[in-house]
Amino acid sequence: MPEVKLFAGTNTKKLADSIAGNYGQELGAMTLSKFSDGEMSPSFDESVRGCHVFLIQSTNPNADNLLELCLMIDAAKRASAYKVCAVVPYYGYARQDRKDRPRVSIAAKLIANMIMSAGADRIMTCDLHAGQIQGFFDIPLDHLNGSAIFVPYLKSLDLGDNLIFASPDVGGVSRARAYAKHFEVDMVVCDKHRKRANEVASMQVIGEVEGKDVVLVDDLVDTAGTMCKAAEILLDKGANSVRAIATHGVLSGKAYENIENSKLSELVITDTIPIKKESSKIKVMTVAELFAKAIHAVTGNDSISALFV
């Protein structure tokens, strides 16, 4: 079996260190040099010849994180690595997965092309904004699911018959329905209309939530405007409490302020993206063990089905 080596990109070092610890080895040594104008030059400080190399880096903006990952992949291939797997806990630009208006880029496909062109043999990620993005890749893709993290936590809350799941928009219905089906409870939909990105113009609830403890389900939370608006409307409709779960805590703009001032009981996210500051309403759970188990399965040619709830 080829030797397995794990390396971390600049943006994901803390999570990568936890993944390596759960996998049972230390991260490999590498250096990221920069020219005075910011041009990056990553290099491996140890041999990767004939090794199965896993490069861990989320590609959330800024674009440096994506370019650094591509340069790492290229460096590993040119150093004669046996296989190179891009481990991308958060796949950035995934919201641009189609032409929803004239003359725009399908950025999610462009990013897939860049990663493949750099030389990746495999990609491993978690909770893509749209599952169809898997089809943008012509290499194997392991699509892990945050439900493996959130389901045990929700069970520990013991909400009983009052539990109900909600999707903050029509696009997330299948995600919320999967949770509702697992817990054998109902779900509702918050139908929103936007005037522009990150700004909700109007929202209405489809379904009954009176007397229920609502769990909003989404793949990511950015400015948290939608989540906070949904929580307010659900409580106005008679819900006992509203909490939210979202795999990727992008948390940009006034997100922290919005969450602190919202009627959400809590927001539960994972560490696919490092948080910028602490918040009394934000709980962070780790995906390190999930990714470590997936890497074990890939290197051992085992199925990853057991990792799904």
Side-chain angles (χ1 to χ4, degrees):
M1 292 287 292
E3 184 181 358
V4 176
K5 291 193 176 185
L6 281 64
F7 296 89
T10 305
N11 186 52
T12 319
K13 280 188 175 178
K14 184 176 180 181
L15 173 58
D17 193 53
S18 296
I19 292 173
N22 278 273
Y23 183 77
Q25 67 183 52
E26 293 184 356
L27 286 172
M30 67 175 301
T31 301
L32 179 67
S33 303
K34 286 190 176 183
F35 293 91
S36 62
D37 65 350
E39 184 177 320
M40 296 177 292
S41 177
S43 61
F44 297 98
D45 299 335
E46 58 190 76
S47 175
V48 295
R49 185 178 296 274
C51 296
H52 202 156
V53 175
F54 290 81
L55 305 175
I56 306 167
Q57 173 83 307
S58 285
T59 60
N60 52 301
N62 61 39
D64 281 1
N65 298 317
L66 171 64
L67 183 57
E68 183 183 348
L69 174 63
C70 290
L71 291 171
M72 289 164 64
I73 294 168
D74 185 65
K77 294 296 286 188
R78 293 179 188 279
S80 301
Y82 165 66
K83 294 284 185 182
V84 177
C85 176
V87 180
V88 186
Y90 171 64
Y91 184 84
Y93 296 91
R95 284 174 283 184
Q96 300 178 59
D97 62 332
R98 66 198 184 282
K99 287 190 69 173
D100 56 353
R101 60 188 189 279
R103 298 174 296 280
V104 296
S105 166
I106 303 179
K109 172 58 176 171
L110 174 63
I111 303 308
N113 288 345
M114 291 173 66
I115 292 173
M116 288 188 294
S117 295
D121 298 292
R122 186 182 204 97
I123 186 165
M124 185 180 294
T125 188
C126 184
D127 279 345
L128 290 166
H129 186 64
Q132 305 92 295
I133 294 173
Q134 296 173 73
F136 291 173
F137 289 88
D138 298 323
I139 56 177
L141 185 148
D142 299 303
H143 188 206
L144 306 181
N145 197 312
S147 61
I149 308 297
F150 295 127
V151 165
Y153 174 71
L154 292 175
K155 285 182 177 178
S156 73
L157 298 176
D158 195 22
L159 297 174
D161 294 336
N162 285 337
L163 176 64
I164 191 170
F165 289 91
S167 172
D169 54 38
V170 175
V173 167
S174 61
R175 193 176 295 111
R177 183 181 290 121
Y179 279 89
K181 183 178 179 181
H182 180 83
F183 282 89
E184 298 181 337
V185 297
D186 292 330
M187 64 162 287
V188 299
V189 180
C190 300
D191 184 27
K192 70 181 177 185
H193 168 65
R194 290 189 191 274
K195 284 185 177 178
R196 57 186 65 89
N198 296 124
E199 184 177 321
V200 179
S202 63
M203 181 180 288
Q204 60 182 1
V205 177
I206 303 172
E208 295 294 328
V209 295
E210 187 170 354
K212 298 291 187 178
D213 293 304
V214 183
V215 178
L216 283 159
V217 182
D218 213 342
D219 63 310
L220 64 86
V221 54
D222 192 351
T223 63
T226 298
M227 285 286 192
C228 296
K229 180 73 172 177
E232 182 180 342
I233 291 175
L234 289 165
L235 287 167
D236 288 344
K237 293 288 185 180
N240 285 337
S241 67
V242 182
R243 56 175 38 84
I245 57 175
T247 305
H248 311 295
V250 179
L251 301 178
S252 67
K254 295 184 177 180
Y256 289 92
E257 180 183 338
N258 291 339
I259 292 164
E260 283 292 333
N261 296 330
S262 74
K263 295 183 179 180
L264 284 168
S265 299
E266 64 176 349
L267 168 65
V268 188
I269 59 175
T270 74
D271 55 353
T272 56
I273 300 172
I275 62 170
K276 301 174 185 70
K277 60 181 180 180
E278 300 294 327
S279 169
S280 60
K281 285 193 174 184
I282 299 176
K283 179 181 179 64
V284 182
M285 307 187 74
T286 185
V287 292
E289 184 178 1
L290 178 65
F291 274 93
K293 287 179 177 179
I295 293 172
H296 267 298
V298 168
T299 55
N301 294 318
D302 296 323
S303 171
I304 66 168
S305 298
L307 303 179
F308 296 94
V309 173

